Amino acid sequence: MSSQPLRIVVIGGSAAGPKAAAKARRMDEHAEITLIQREPDLSMASCGFPYYVGGTFDDRNMLVCTPAGIVRDPAFYGKAKRIRALVRTEATEIDRVAKTVTYRDLPTGEQSTIPYDRLVIATGATPLRPSVPGIELDGVTTLHSMADADALRAVRDEKKATKAVVVGGGLIGFEVCEALRLAGIHTTVIEKTRQILPFLDPDLSKLVENHVRAHGPDIIVGNGVAELLGENGKLVGVKLENGTELPCEVAVIAVGVRPNIKLAQAAGIEIGSVGGIRVNPQMQTSDPNIYAVGDCVECTSLISGKAVRAPYGDLANLQGRVAGQNLVIEGSASFPGIIQTGICKIFDYAVGFTGLSAKDAGEAGFDDIETAIISGLDIPGYMSGKLLISKLVADRKTGRILGFQCIGPGDVSKRVAVVAMAIRGKLTVEDMVNADLPYAPPYSLAIDHVISSAQVMDNKLQGRMQGLSASEVKHRIDTGADCFILDTRSPQEFEETRLGIGETLIPLGALRDRFAELPQDKSKEIILYCRISLRGYEGAAILDAHGWHNVKVMEGGVVAWPYAKEK
Amino acid sequence: MSSQPLRIVVIGGSAAGPKAAAKARRMDEHAEITLIQREPDLSMASCGFPYYVGGTFDDRNMLVCTPAGIVRDPAFYGKAKRIRALVRTEATEIDRVAKTVTYRDLPTGEQSTIPYDRLVIATGATPLRPSVPGIELDGVTTLHSMADADALRAVRDEKKATKAVVVGGGLIGFEVCEALRLAGIHTTVIEKTRQILPFLDPDLSKLVENHVRAHGPDIIVGNGVAELLGENGKLVGVKLENGTELPCEVAVIAVGVRPNIKLAQAAGIEIGSVGGIRVNPQMQTSDPNIYAVGDCVECTSLISGKAVRAPYGDLANLQGRVAGQNLVIEGSASFPGIIQTGICKIFDYAVGFTGLSAKDAGEAGFDDIETAIISGLDIPGYMSGKLLISKLVADRKTGRILGFQCIGPGDVSKRVAVVAMAIRGKLTVEDMVNADLPYAPPYSLAIDHVISSAQVMDNKLQGRMQGLSASEVKHRIDTGADCFILDTRSPQEFEETRLGIGETLIPLGALRDRFAELPQDKSKEIILYCRISLRGYEGAAILDAHGWHNVKVMEGGVVAWPYAKEK
Ligand SMILES: Cc1cc2nc3c(=O)[nH]c(=O)nc-3n(C[C@H](O)[C@H](O)[C@H](O)COP(=O)(O)OP(=O)(O)OC[C@H]3O[C@@H](n4cnc5c(N)ncnc54)[C@H](O)[C@@H]3O)c2cc1C
Ligand SMILES: Cc1cc2nc3c(=O)[nH]c(=O)nc-3n(C[C@H](O)[C@H](O)[C@H](O)COP(=O)(O)OP(=O)(O)OC[C@H]3O[C@@H](n4cnc5c(N)ncnc54)[C@H](O)[C@@H]3O)c2cc1C
Ligand SMILES: CC(C)(COP(=O)(O)OP(=O)(O)OC[C@H]1O[C@@H](n2cnc3c(N)ncnc32)[C@H](O)[C@@H]1OP(=O)(O)O)[C@@H](O)C(=O)NCCC(=O)NCCS
Ligand SMILES: CC(C)(COP(=O)(O)OP(=O)(O)OC[C@H]1O[C@@H](n2cnc3c(N)ncnc32)[C@H](O)[C@@H]1OP(=O)(O)O)[C@@H](O)C(=O)NCCC(=O)NCCS
Ligand SMILES: [Ca+2]
Ligand SMILES: [Ca+2]
């Protein structure tokens, strides 16, 4: 230990900054650690804001307290962590030559300068705001800061607002949408691009859309906001690019975030190719005494090797810990990179993803991928299993798993976490086909959904199943393509619900006896499905073996059909 | 395709056999497939028996039907799978030279012989029964066959039995115990060895014991059954080795299973070193035309490379699929091996494991392991997170993760599945420390429990935390060892519950101001803990840095303390 205590300064006091500071403290009890935070609160669980706004809990302190119930205020930081936390304090300049940070006490405006041996930049990100007229109206907000959370929670508690618009159909947009709905406010989500939830491929995204609508909110896609309409400075409506006007008292902007890099940039620290601070695996910036962590940095994708932005709370914490360790022992810890794993709750659905979507895989340069959409239960029917609908993406040549998306009322989070680990371990479809997972009826099927997904993918890779997505089938119908559509469910299931796309019903068990009802032209395209397309797949194997040679399975079956049904 | 259809015979009609047959059918529509099953039912979800017995559902058919609700009887097999299923039919001999199987129709006693090109042995396992007097009494049963399930369900429905004994404290023993408890029957579980649930290390096993007792049932360990006591051929009690007599009307024997290898053995097929049929990764026996799958085989551990028995329903299905594929295209699929992953529900706890326990690791020849016990929540407190208590096992030299056990009311199954995949991918602690998992408050903490576990392990491997298990601490107390015990929780927490083992309370936040209350002899052992020992660990880092050099953390904290507490 040196005789002079190490001087550590951390800028940003929400997730990544405090984590770095706390870890540095555990690594070096004698260091002088100062945390500079612009906002009045510290250690805010931003990810919990939607649940506070939506009334899952009512005590605001729960967003800023330890598991033992102590609020993480400057007094706590002083006592429990021996970290000097300055709140309502903005760092305004980094002088890399003098190794100092200049900061301003916001209430008084007083400026000070503090020297550092090691500095951490954890300034986070700022929500983007479309530059449209009316963006400054009262009633227009984001959900990013604690102040935003307080304001939106007040909207709930006041019970006055009746209509809201959420601009942006991403994770946070839909969390906000649900929270507003739970506050009894009718909400419309506006998404400029053609689909909601950009990390999903369109097939699954459309199913989530339906789910949201079934819970009340409206969704408008392919239409941006043109103007926010006000009266006396107050929001009264939103005008879309196509001219539609939606009256509302509240508009929440959730169109993404941009890394806060100004301080770093001004100090001449290198910015990366996708707009975040560039760091090495030790979370070190281009200045070896300066680390950067959290939403303000860019990460490396472990799948594509490319620079990517990944503004997630878990990563902020992991990166903070790595930096905290390196602050004290340089090079002692590394953050290897990310695979883009996330999840959110949208009413009764969980919506999760890990790795690359088909779309992303193409962009990342994987030009020979296979995908499979699979429906199934999370646990057995006799244990009241719930539905999961997934899409698995794999590299054809190597069999390597590249990505997985999963949605539904079933236990999505487990399946996404499992595939995330599989991707982390660079496992192939073949490895996953025979994974040894914990099986008991309260927790999984004998063949868990993720293994089933790999088995279906295996079948596709081996050419034992030819798949079509619901949208490909829909396109055939819409364009009047010449194909024979076969529903292999039972008459009873057909009576309860059916697509009505010109299908013929032949239950799987009767198929071998009813070949006469199938096209005589054995090269005609036949498309099979059932509820989840398991029986569809079995039927396809039968037809294949009997000489039909253009047999396809509509992947995911009836439950993954996102379009209107006959009944 | 050959002009003569391939003749496939499968012996055993529960899980592995039907899976092999069904997969073979999808691989070859023209094969002649015959399934020979001794019992009257086919495709029984044995793993669901405890839930049927315990009243989770009442329709027996749910145990033998497809997700679409069709009972998998011979008619179903004939129609949907074109598989001839013979029930109440016992295979009595395999003639490997003639390539025939002889079988007997059990109702008529009629013998027949059927030729095969490829044969699958899926005869499962038989429950062990201790050879004690009274084992044949009315009221003594196992829970293995559908008939057993029917009989135990009848016990529930008749509402006459009031007391039961379960012999054997393994997975199935406790599932049965819970089912009987739910039937309103007071139940005692008897375990001959010193601990229940042999796949857990003693620390966690003891916590599960407490949990079971809190729900009513008794547990007696270290005491075997000496005799089953009867009156007029009916069970009236159980006498233990130590002489204790427990009155009861029902006794369920659940002391493990033994592979059914007789048919194979008689045919000269090789048996492996741990008593199951030996198979290669293609699930082929020593006779290349004969495959074996499920509970009757032995597997290879992917961790130790050794032969092990793993009688689990998921593996039976996976192996069946591999064999089914190879029956038609030899060598086209492999089953790589297992890592011993399992789970069961015991009242409000899930109890899961993957890989090696500390005990197993030693036996498998890993002589330099590190373990860490970690308590924590599954999701944030503000989302009503529930407790998880885990033990991670790693190899010291390589950092490779060897095993993980997890118990508690929290979402155990996800964590075990995630670590199972990590072990499958041969990941190290370092890899897991920075895993990118799906984080959102309804599903995990920002640093998920499995990552936290890896971080704690990392700290131990780096020498940043010295741990003691609760049992090591208890031993010190019982032997009057000279140590200073420090509880770092808040006074309020201390008031609510405390161990009462001579501890001193100094809340973490006050620790730096109260060094005077600590031992002056800085080499004295100091043991810290808190609720989960997170603050205990932080306290230990502080003391370490201030010169105390024999500072330990009681891993898992108060919630992992399995012994009596003062309050
Ligand atoms: C509503 C919402 C829901 C979310 N849900 C999830 C989720 O479910 N899962 C997930 O993984 N992620 C989620 N996130 C993202 C997650 O919260 C962020 O990734 C995480 O907070 C980033 O942490 P950070 O410390 O890098 O940045 P921030 O949390 O943005 O903190 C940066 C802090 O730095 C301060 N600061 C900035 N500049 C200065 C300066 N010059 N001087 C002093 N202080 C400064 C700011 O005041 C701010 O408090 C969610 C975010 C929001 C807003
Ligand atoms: C109560 C209970 C709970 C369980 N819970 C779980 C759990 O939660 N998770 C888990 O992974 N596993 C669990 N298991 C284990 C799982 O059920 C077995 O691993 C699985 O059933 C093995 O399948 P199998 O086909 O190899 O053997 P079996 O299911 O034993 O089937 C073998 C079949 O072969 C027939 N047979 C045997 N010999 C002959 C012959 N000579 N001729 C004709 N037929 C023959 C038998 O009648 C039997 O039906 C549980 C088991 C039980 C009993
Ligand atoms: C909490 C915060 C201040 C970081 O402080 P911290 O002291 O590192 O707190 P944690 O509770 O995460 O971890 C403390 C330590 O205990 C360890 N630990 C956790 N459980 C333990 C257990 N049962 N036994 C022993 N040690 C344990 C951890 O490994 C960690 O130590 P390490 O980093 O040295 O390995 C910072 O992350 C923060 O402000 N978070 C709130 C905001 C946030 O995360 N927002 C984004 C998501 S909503
Ligand atoms: C069910 C049983 C008869 C096997 O029959 P099976 O036809 O293989 O049935 P499954 O439903 O498991 O799978 C059918 C096929 O559909 C595929 N599939 C599953 N979901 C699908 C979907 N959504 N779309 C397309 N295909 C799908 C599977 O991959 C499998 O095909 P493959 O093996 O060729 O890859 C046999 O496992 C059994 O008897 N089980 C009950 C008893 C049991 O398992 N007990 C132990 C645990 S309690
Ligand atoms: Ca993540
Ligand atoms: Ca398993």
Side-chain angles (χ1 to χ4, degrees), chain A residues 122-443:
Chain A
T123 45
T126 300
L128 297 168
R129 284 165 168 260
S131 48
V132 293
I135 192 79
E136 298 306 333
L137 285 168
D138 189 13
V140 181
T141 181
T142 55
L143 178 54
H144 188 78
S145 65
M146 195 79 182
D148 292 340
D150 290 333
L152 280 172
R153 172 70 196 213
V155 168
R156 174 191 168 91
D157 293 338
E158 282 161 9
K159 294 193 169 67
K160 282 190 210 141
T162 61
K163 289 200 185 68
V165 165
V166 172
V167 182
L171 282 177
I172 293 178
F174 280 99
E175 287 181 350
V176 169
C177 164
E178 176 173 353
L180 293 173
R181 178 75 194 81
L182 293 175
I185 299 170
H186 182 268
T187 305
T188 304
V189 178
I190 309 299
E191 168 57 47
K192 200 183 168 81
T193 70
R194 299 284 295 276
Q195 78 161 68
I196 61 164
L197 302 170
F199 45 83
L200 296 180
D201 283 317
D203 339 77
L204 298 202
S205 139
K206 199 121 185 69
L207 291 165
V208 179
E209 242 187 69
N210 295 345
H211 178 72
V212 172
R213 287 213 181 85
H215 279 81
D218 280 338
I219 299 177
I220 298 175
V221 293
N223 206 343
V225 172
E227 187 180 348
L228 297 157
L229 309 171
E231 270 171 25
N232 307 319
K234 281 200 161 167
L235 180 77
V236 296
V238 170
K239 187 169 170 186
L240 305 185
E241 283 167 351
N242 70 352
T244 310
E245 287 189 15
L246 303 168
C248 63
E249 305 100 48
V250 179
V252 183
I253 311 292
V255 295
V257 296
R258 142 177 73 68
N260 290 330
I261 56 168
K262 261 202 221 151
L263 259 186
Q265 209 164 20
I269 291 166
E270 203 179 322
I271 305 302
S273 58
V274 294
I277 300 173
R278 187 194 293 275
V279 288
N280 67 14
Q282 288 71 49
M283 305 308 297
Q284 216 166 19
T285 67
S286 55
D287 180 331
N289 293 314
I290 304 182
Y291 293 78
V293 287
D295 282 5
C296 63
V297 306
E298 53 186 56
C299 306
T300 305
S301 161
L302 286 169
I303 306 175
S304 70
K306 299 201 170 144
V308 285
R309 278 171 44 204
Y312 294 109
D314 56 338
L315 304 175
N317 273 279
L318 300 181
Q319 295 168 355
R321 183 174 181 275
V322 166
Q325 198 163 323
N326 290 331
L327 285 170
V328 176
I329 307 180
E330 196 178 331
S332 62
S334 307
F335 184 77
I338 60 123
I339 55 179
Q340 296 279 22
T341 309
I343 190 166
C344 73
K345 177 181 173 306
I346 304 185
F347 295 105
D348 306 331
Y349 272 28
V351 175
F353 59 97
T354 181
L356 308 175
S357 65
K359 207 168 44 188
D360 297 339
E363 284 165 19
F366 290 92
D367 51 12
D368 190 12
I369 61 162
E370 184 58 278
T371 66
I373 293 172
I374 316 97
S375 307
L377 293 180
D378 56 355
I379 64 173
Y382 61 77
M383 301 298 286
S384 310
K386 295 198 190 111
L387 190 67
L388 295 170
I389 303 177
S390 300
K391 181 167 180 176
L392 190 64
V393 180
D395 183 56
R396 237 177 205 296
K397 270 164 292 190
T398 59
R400 197 171 141 201
I401 297 157
L402 297 177
F404 182 67
Q405 303 154 52
C406 183
I407 66 169
D411 182 352
V412 164
S413 118
K414 174 178 166 181
R415 277 71 195 185
V416 173
V418 165
V419 182
M421 267 315 191
I423 293 177
R424 186 66 182 78
K426 296 197 170 10
L427 296 188
T428 63
V429 172
E430 214 188 319
D431 297 325
M432 234 171 81
V433 154
N434 285 310
D436 182 359
L437 293 176
Y439 163 55
Y443 311 109

Side-chain angles (χ1 to χ4, degrees), chain A residues 1 19 23 25-27 29-30 45 47-48 51 56-57 62-63 67-68 70 78-82 175 313-315 317-319 321-322 325 329 332 334-346 349-351 353-354 377 381-383 411 413-414 416-422 424-425 427 430-443 445-447 450-451 455-456 458-459 462 464 490 493 508-510 512-513 515 535 537-538 541-542 545-546, chain B residues 1 19 23 25-27 29-30 45 47-48 51 56-57 62-63 67-68 70 78-82 175 313-315 317-319 321-322 325 329 332 334-346 349-351 353-354 377 381-383 411 413-414 416-422 424-425 427 430-443 445-447 450-451 455-456 458-459 462 464 490 493 508-510 512-513 515 535 537-538 541-542 545-546:
Chain A
M1 191 197 317
K19 188 68 184 179
K23 181 61 178 169
R25 167 57 68 231
R26 286 189 288 277
M27 296 289 296
E29 169 70 6
H30 304 286
C47 318
Y51 302 93
T56 301
F57 58 96
M62 296 193 88
L63 290 166
I70 303 171
K79 282 285 178 196
K81 310 265 184 200
R82 209 169 77 75
E175 287 181 350
D314 56 338
L315 304 175
N317 273 279
L318 300 181
Q319 295 168 355
R321 183 174 181 275
V322 166
Q325 198 163 323
I329 307 180
S332 62
S334 307
F335 184 77
I338 60 123
I339 55 179
Q340 296 279 22
T341 309
I343 190 166
C344 73
K345 177 181 173 306
I346 304 185
Y349 272 28
V351 175
F353 59 97
T354 181
L377 293 180
Y382 61 77
M383 301 298 286
D411 182 352
S413 118
K414 174 178 166 181
V416 173
V418 165
V419 182
M421 267 315 191
R424 186 66 182 78
L427 296 188
E430 214 188 319
D431 297 325
M432 234 171 81
V433 154
N434 285 310
D436 182 359
L437 293 176
Y439 163 55
Y443 311 109
L445 298 181
I447 297 186
V450 295
I451 301 183
Q455 296 187 343
V456 173
D458 180 43
N459 296 334
Q462 304 294 326
R464 299 201 178 98
S490 67
E493 289 172 276
L508 177 68
R512 291 183 182 86
D513 301 330
F515 288 158
R535 287 167 286 169
Y537 158 63
E538 289 191 282
I542 296 170
H546 284 93
Chain B
M1 191 200 316
K19 187 70 186 178
K23 180 62 180 169
R25 168 57 67 230
R26 285 189 290 275
M27 296 288 298
E29 169 69 8
H30 304 287
C47 317
Y51 302 93
T56 301
F57 57 95
M62 295 194 89
L63 290 166
I70 303 170
K79 282 284 178 199
K81 310 267 184 197
R82 209 169 77 75
E175 287 181 349
D314 57 338
L315 303 176
N317 273 280
L318 299 182
Q319 295 167 355
R321 183 173 182 275
V322 166
Q325 199 164 324
I329 307 180
S332 63
S334 307
F335 183 76
I338 59 122
I339 56 176
Q340 297 277 22
T341 309
I343 190 166
C344 74
K345 177 182 172 307
I346 305 185
Y349 271 29
V351 175
F353 58 97
T354 181
L377 293 179
Y382 61 77
M383 299 300 285
D411 182 351
S413 117
K414 174 177 166 184
V416 172
V418 166
V419 181
M421 266 316 189
R424 186 67 182 76
L427 297 189
E430 215 188 316
D431 296 326
M432 235 171 81
V433 154
N434 285 312
D436 183 359
L437 294 175
Y439 163 56
Y443 311 109
L445 298 181
I447 297 188
V450 295
I451 300 182
Q455 296 188 342
V456 172
D458 181 41
N459 296 335
Q462 304 294 326
R464 299 200 178 100
S490 68
E493 290 172 277
L508 178 67
R512 290 183 183 88
D513 300 329
F515 287 159
R535 286 167 287 168
Y537 157 63
E538 289 191 283
I542 296 172
H546 284 94

Side-chain angles (χ1 to χ4, degrees), chain A residues 23-79:
Chain A
K23 181 61 178 169
R25 167 57 68 231
R26 286 189 288 277
M27 296 289 296
D28 183 353
E29 169 70 6
H30 304 286
E32 277 174 15
I33 307 179
T34 306
L35 188 59
I36 300 177
Q37 162 71 327
R38 186 167 48 203
E39 294 181 55
D41 294 287
L42 289 160
S43 283
M44 305 88 79
S46 324
C47 318
F49 292 167
Y51 302 93
Y52 175 58
V53 172
T56 301
F57 58 96
D58 300 315
D59 178 2
R60 177 194 196 272
N61 277 345
M62 296 193 88
L63 290 166
V64 285
C65 75
T66 71
I70 303 171
V71 172
R72 288 189 178 112
D73 56 15
F76 164 82
Y77 271 94
K79 282 285 178 196

Side-chain angles (χ1 to χ4, degrees), chain A residues 504-525:
Chain A
T504 300
L505 178 77
I506 306 182
L508 177 68
L511 186 57
R512 291 183 182 86
D513 301 330
R514 291 172 61 179
F515 288 158
E517 296 167 43
L518 300 178
Q520 295 307 303
D521 173 3
K522 292 216 164 173
S523 66
K524 180 154 172 171
E525 187 175 62

Side-chain angles (χ1 to χ4, degrees), chain B residues 42-43 45 59-72:
Chain B
L42 288 159
S43 283
D59 178 2
R60 178 192 194 274
N61 278 346
M62 295 194 89
L63 290 166
V64 285
C65 74
T66 70
I70 303 170
V71 172
R72 289 190 177 110

